[in-house]
């Protein structure tokens, strides 16, 4: 099964505020962009992914992610994460009504294409399915096969909410890179331990270099 991924990304100036313990205001937008670039590049390299649509109003992010091969969908609702995902779902299915669709977080800088393929292959067995994050509270991926709506409930306690909505919980082995999103300094250190992509590697090198 081939999937279209919908990746929401808020304006970079407002992204990753919980990283304030690790990165200052002048650094966080570049980190958020780097996370998204590595996420999109890895997603497009997955054998299970047909294409990627990024829902964002940030002009810099739009240019950089389009250069990687993503389709950019303007976030016209401007009403938060779940509204952006519903808008992206509508935009994608207006063009390809029968596509299998998955929402993916934009902050997965350690994402491995083969691990994402493993998750999507597992999701293909269900009408709707989700992958919990490394903390076991949130969600990093929500999938819906052809003919089924996403019904996203991202945000606080989304693991419980997605399970309550009837989505199957996926826990395939050896997919740590798909579960390791980055909200805090500890999350970033965990992602670095897994091994991040080139954009995040460069951005964190600047963060850790005195005088940069």
């Amino acid at each position: 099964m081939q999937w279209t991924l919908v990746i929401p990304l808020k304006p970079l100036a407002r992204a990753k505020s919980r990283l304030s313990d690790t990165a200052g205001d002048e650094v966080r937008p570049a980190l958020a962009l780097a996370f998204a670039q590595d996420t999109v590049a890895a997603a497009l390299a997955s054998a299970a992914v047909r294409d990627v649509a990024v829902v964002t109003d940030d002009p810099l992010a739009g240019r950089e992610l389009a250069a990687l091969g993503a389709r950019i969908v303007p976030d016209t609702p401007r009403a938060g994460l779940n509204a952006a995902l519903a808008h992206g779902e509508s935009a994608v299915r207006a063009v390809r009504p029968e596509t299998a669709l998955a929402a993916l977080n934009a902050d997965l800088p350690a994402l491995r294409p083969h691990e994402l393929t493993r998750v999507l292959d597992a999701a293909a067995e269900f009408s709707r399915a989700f992958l919990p994050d490394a903390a076991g509270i949130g969600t990093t991926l929500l999938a819906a096969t052809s003919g089924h709506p996403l019904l996203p409930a991202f945000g606080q306690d989304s693991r419980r909410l997605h399970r309550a909505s009837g989505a199957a919980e996926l826990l395939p082995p050896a997919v740590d890179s798909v579960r390791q999103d980055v909200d805090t300094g500890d999350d970033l250190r965990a992602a670095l331990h897994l091994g991040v992509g080139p954009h995040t590697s460069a951005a964190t090198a600047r963060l850790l270099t005195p005088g940069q």
Side-chain angles (χ1 to χ4, degrees), residues 12 16 19 22-24 26-39 60 109 182 188 192 196-212:
L12 298 176
K16 297 297 138 195
L19 271 174
T22 301
E26 74 285 358
V27 176
R28 288 198 303 275
L31 282 174
L33 176 58
F35 297 164
Q37 287 172 302
D38 286 330
T39 300
L60 173 60
V182 176
L188 179 55
L192 290 169
V196 296
H199 297 94
T200 303
S201 181
T204 53
R206 291 193 296 271
L207 174 65
L208 298 173
T209 301
Q212 296 296 311

Side-chain angles (χ1 to χ4, degrees), residues 5-22:
L5 302 189
V6 177
I7 298 178
L9 180 63
K10 67 173 63 174
L12 298 176
R14 296 193 287 107
K16 297 297 138 195
S17 59
R18 291 172 60 194
L19 271 174
S20 59
D21 62 338
T22 301

Side-chain angles (χ1 to χ4, degrees), residues 122-123 125-132 141-143 162-163 165-171:
E125 301 299 318
F126 304 95
S127 58
R128 291 176 63 246
F130 73 97
L131 184 75
L141 180 143
L142 174 68
H162 285 136
R163 187 191 293 135
S165 76
E169 183 170 84
L170 303 172
L171 286 172

Side-chain angles (χ1 to χ4, degrees), residues 9-197:
L9 180 63
K10 67 173 63 174
L12 298 176
R14 296 193 287 107
K16 297 297 138 195
S17 59
R18 291 172 60 194
L19 271 174
S20 59
D21 62 338
T22 301
D25 293 346
E26 74 285 358
V27 176
R28 288 198 303 275
L31 282 174
L33 176 58
F35 297 164
Q37 287 172 302
D38 286 330
T39 300
V40 167
L44 286 168
S46 165
V49 173
R50 181 201 301 267
D51 53 8
V52 170
V54 176
V55 183
T56 188
D57 268 343
D58 191 283
L60 173 60
R63 289 194 302 271
E64 295 295 330
L65 298 174
L68 294 175
R71 171 189 175 188
I72 306 303
V73 178
D75 183 10
T76 52
R78 298 179 183 174
L81 178 59
N82 292 308
L85 285 170
H87 177 61
E89 176 182 11
S90 295
V92 168
R93 285 189 162 155
V95 176
R96 196 176 294 121
E98 300 304 316
T99 191
L101 197 68
L104 184 70
N105 287 7
D107 57 352
L108 298 169
L111 186 63
R112 303 285 189 270
H114 67 279
E115 293 186 14
L116 177 59
T117 298
R118 188 176 299 137
V119 173
L120 291 171
D121 286 349
E125 301 299 318
F126 304 95
S127 58
R128 291 176 63 246
F130 73 97
L131 184 75
D133 65 8
I137 299 171
T139 301
T140 59
L141 180 143
L142 174 68
T145 52
S146 178
H148 299 278
L150 271 177
L151 304 178
F154 285 84
Q156 188 174 6
D157 206 16
S158 65
R159 180 183 188 180
R160 179 185 64 81
L161 293 173
H162 285 136
R163 187 191 293 135
S165 76
E169 183 170 84
L170 303 172
L171 286 172
V175 294
D176 291 349
S177 76
V178 197
R179 300 184 65 191
Q180 188 57 67
D181 55 353
V182 176
D183 288 318
T184 67
D186 285 343
D187 294 336
L188 179 55
R189 286 182 280 275
L192 290 169
H193 179 73
L194 287 174
V196 296

